[in-house]
Amino acid sequence: MRNLTESRIRSNTYVALSLIPLSGFAMDVFIPSLPDMAVQLQTTPASIQLTLSLFIISYGVSQLIVGGLLDSYGRYWPTIISMLVFSAASFSIAWSGSIAVIYAMRIIQGFTVAVIVVSKRSFFVDVYSGEQLKKYTSLFSVIWAIGPIVAPFLGGFFQTTWGWTSNFIFLGIFSFVFFLIEIFIGGESQKQAQPLSIKNILDSYGKMVKTRDFTAGMIILGLAYAMILLYGMASPFLIEQRLHFSPEVTGYCALFSGLSVLTGGTLSRILIKKPFIKKLIFASALQIVSVVLLITLSFYHQSLPTLLLYVFLLHSTGGFIFNNLMSYTLTRFPEYAGKAAGLVGGGFSVVTSILSSLLVNTLTITNQTVLGIGYGVLAIGTLLIIVKTKWLVHESVPNNKAVAETETAVAAA
């Protein structure tokens, strides 16, 4: 096995950061092509939309599994094999006229993206520690936000110029290029592999889940991302039917949402040295105040600017909270780097799916006031868990320097 050398850590860091947005690209790049796909494949819009759901389910569930495999088999070979398989699946979708084949390939794409993303998250825990590790993990949600921002516009260009198949050809080429890069400069970053044992994997997951600050952080991640997903589900109806704007405006509002999340993530990096709990409580309290004010405003006036106020205030603070908690949970158990990365990614995805589905099915979001109520439920839940978790952080035993520094900051708060 080829181990990663010191001289190649920096170049591999750039590769890892470049691959973190892959999940967003794979999920969003072909969204502008959905109507054309339905026409070209002679199927219903619902059948085409299922390709999104299958990818999300496969990606989320797979993260719960692949962490343990990566800790046993390393990062390098599973990653390059997954890149090659993802590339082949992308080309198969582009060259297939069968919706059944596309379904199967989307499931494979979800699994392989999970391997790639979890592996690259684990890479940073493998090779960095202390302030350097905190710096890079705080970049994750900022870098990840690039996918939802760029992918729909890139996909729109591909669709207009070459048709729907070009989106998947792009994904295939993208993955194959990074496969070649990994072949030439990549290497194994894990210091010591752990024996593959289902019992040990389950015990590791059990230990992490029973650690209350880790589990609380994972739930808060799900709450923060559920805000963004709730908006994504409701916004086409509110913008196109309630406010009578075109689908193009919905796309621009999606871009604004992504930029808001990016703003919050960037701000969290700027304030990385501020007391951990204090800044989380402040951001969560600001969410609740914003929701109350905007619900009150929307009783009297509803327009695109008021909707975008919701988006900016709630999504930027959500991005701020998400970025801080992602960094914390990923560094909480460095001895289980792969398992922790998989559990965090899969765990918060499950929480997000459950919460967003419950809210959409419970609340009929026909106006901004009801949307505000949905936001309010998530914001209140976030604040309650943060406050409850404050003393749990105190009793946790630091597993590495980064966590120790975080807990010192908490004590100072």
Side-chain angles (χ1 to χ4, degrees):
M1 180 180 292
R2 185 173 69 184
N3 291 324
L4 184 65
T5 62
E6 289 288 333
S7 62
R8 289 181 172 176
I9 286 179
R10 180 173 293 274
S11 58
N12 277 264
T13 297
Y14 294 141
V15 170
L17 290 173
S18 299
L19 286 169
I20 285 176
L22 180 58
S23 59
F25 273 104
M27 193 157 33
D28 296 335
V29 72
F30 75 105
I31 285 178
S33 298
L34 291 178
D36 186 48
M37 288 179 68
V39 172
Q40 298 299 326
L41 297 172
Q42 299 180 342
T43 187
T44 63
S47 297
I48 294 299
Q49 289 168 347
L50 184 58
T51 61
L52 283 170
S53 301
L54 289 173
F55 176 85
I56 294 170
I57 293 169
S58 174
Y59 174 64
V61 173
S62 296
Q63 289 184 80
L64 298 172
I65 301 169
V66 301
L69 298 177
L70 291 173
D71 280 344
S72 298
Y73 293 105
R75 329 294 189 206
Y76 181 60
W77 284 109
T79 298
I80 62 173
I81 291 171
S82 294
M83 287 179 181
L84 192 59
V85 173
F86 177 87
S87 180
S90 299
F91 288 125
S92 296
I93 292 173
W95 297 331
S96 173
S98 168
I99 191 67
V101 171
I102 293 175
Y103 287 161
M105 293 302 103
R106 287 295 282 172
I107 293 171
I108 291 173
Q109 281 188 326
F111 177 78
T112 52
V113 169
V115 173
I116 295 166
V117 173
V118 171
S119 173
K120 293 310 176 185
R121 288 184 194 144
S122 305
F123 164 85
F124 291 93
V125 183
D126 291 339
V127 301
Y128 294 108
S129 62
E131 286 298 322
Q132 276 191 310
L133 179 60
K134 288 171 66 177
K135 180 183 74 172
Y136 282 117
T137 55
S138 68
L139 263 176
F140 285 177
S141 65
V142 177
I143 296 293
W144 175 85
I146 293 173
I149 292 172
V150 175
F153 288 89
L154 192 61
F157 170 76
F158 288 147
Q159 170 63 37
T160 303
T161 308
W162 296 296
W164 72 267
T165 58
S166 60
N167 293 294
F168 294 98
I169 292 173
F170 163 76
L171 290 175
I173 294 173
F174 180 90
S175 182
F176 189 73
V177 167
F178 276 95
F179 164 78
L180 294 177
I181 291 172
E182 287 277 359
I183 289 290
F184 284 109
I185 71 169
E188 181 56 59
S189 63
Q190 189 182 34
K191 301 298 187 294
Q192 183 177 357
Q194 299 176 11
L196 180 61
S197 166
I198 301 300
K199 181 180 184 302
N200 288 342
I201 292 174
L202 293 177
D203 288 344
S204 301
Y205 282 160
K207 177 182 177 180
M208 288 186 282
V209 170
K210 290 176 184 176
T211 304
R212 289 175 288 182
D213 59 323
F214 177 87
T215 300
M218 190 165 56
I219 294 172
I220 295 170
L221 288 172
L223 287 163
Y225 194 64
M227 287 189 178
I228 300 166
L229 192 58
L230 180 68
Y231 168 78
M233 292 177 174
S235 61
F237 174 83
L238 296 177
I239 295 170
E240 296 168 31
Q241 296 186 23
R242 178 82 179 187
L243 299 176
H244 307 293
F245 286 99
S246 68
E248 185 179 12
V249 175
T250 303
Y252 283 115
C253 291
L255 171 63
F256 185 74
S257 170
L259 290 173
S260 299
V261 175
L262 184 63
T263 299
T266 302
L267 185 60
S268 75
R269 295 197 70 241
I270 295 172
L271 302 177
I272 192 170
K273 294 184 181 297
K274 297 297 181 180
F276 184 69
I277 293 296
K278 184 179 290 186
K279 61 187 177 184
L280 289 183
I281 291 177
F282 179 81
S284 183
L286 181 59
Q287 283 187 329
I288 294 175
V289 171
S290 300
V291 167
V292 171
L293 293 176
L294 288 168
I295 287 177
T296 304
L297 175 62
S298 64
F299 271 123
Y300 303 100
H301 178 71
Q302 297 191 19
S303 63
L304 191 61
T306 59
L307 180 62
L308 293 182
L309 269 176
Y310 270 117
V311 171
F312 179 75
L313 293 173
L314 276 300
H315 294 194
S316 60
T317 49
F320 180 87
I321 293 169
F322 187 95
N323 205 48
N324 278 282
L325 267 299
M326 177 62 78
S327 178
Y328 181 84
T329 51
L330 287 178
T331 58
R332 186 64 180 84
F333 291 96
E335 69 272 30
Y336 305 135
K339 298 183 186 73
L343 184 57
V344 169
F348 93 74
S349 297
V350 170
V351 172
T352 294
S353 300
I354 293 172
L355 290 175
S356 57
S357 297
L358 281 175
L359 287 173
V360 168
N361 291 326
T362 304
L363 301 172
T364 303
I365 303 178
T366 56
N367 56 61
Q368 294 176 29
T369 303
V370 181
L371 176 64
I373 293 171
Y375 277 134
V377 171
L378 297 172
I380 291 171
T382 298
L383 181 60
L384 288 175
I385 296 174
I386 291 172
V387 172
K388 176 66 175 176
T389 309
K390 184 176 181 180
W391 64 272
L392 294 177
V393 178
H394 285 289
E395 75 173 15
S396 301
V397 179
N399 286 283
N400 64 4
K401 184 179 178 183
V403 174
E405 289 166 348
T406 299
E407 295 186 347
T408 301
V410 172

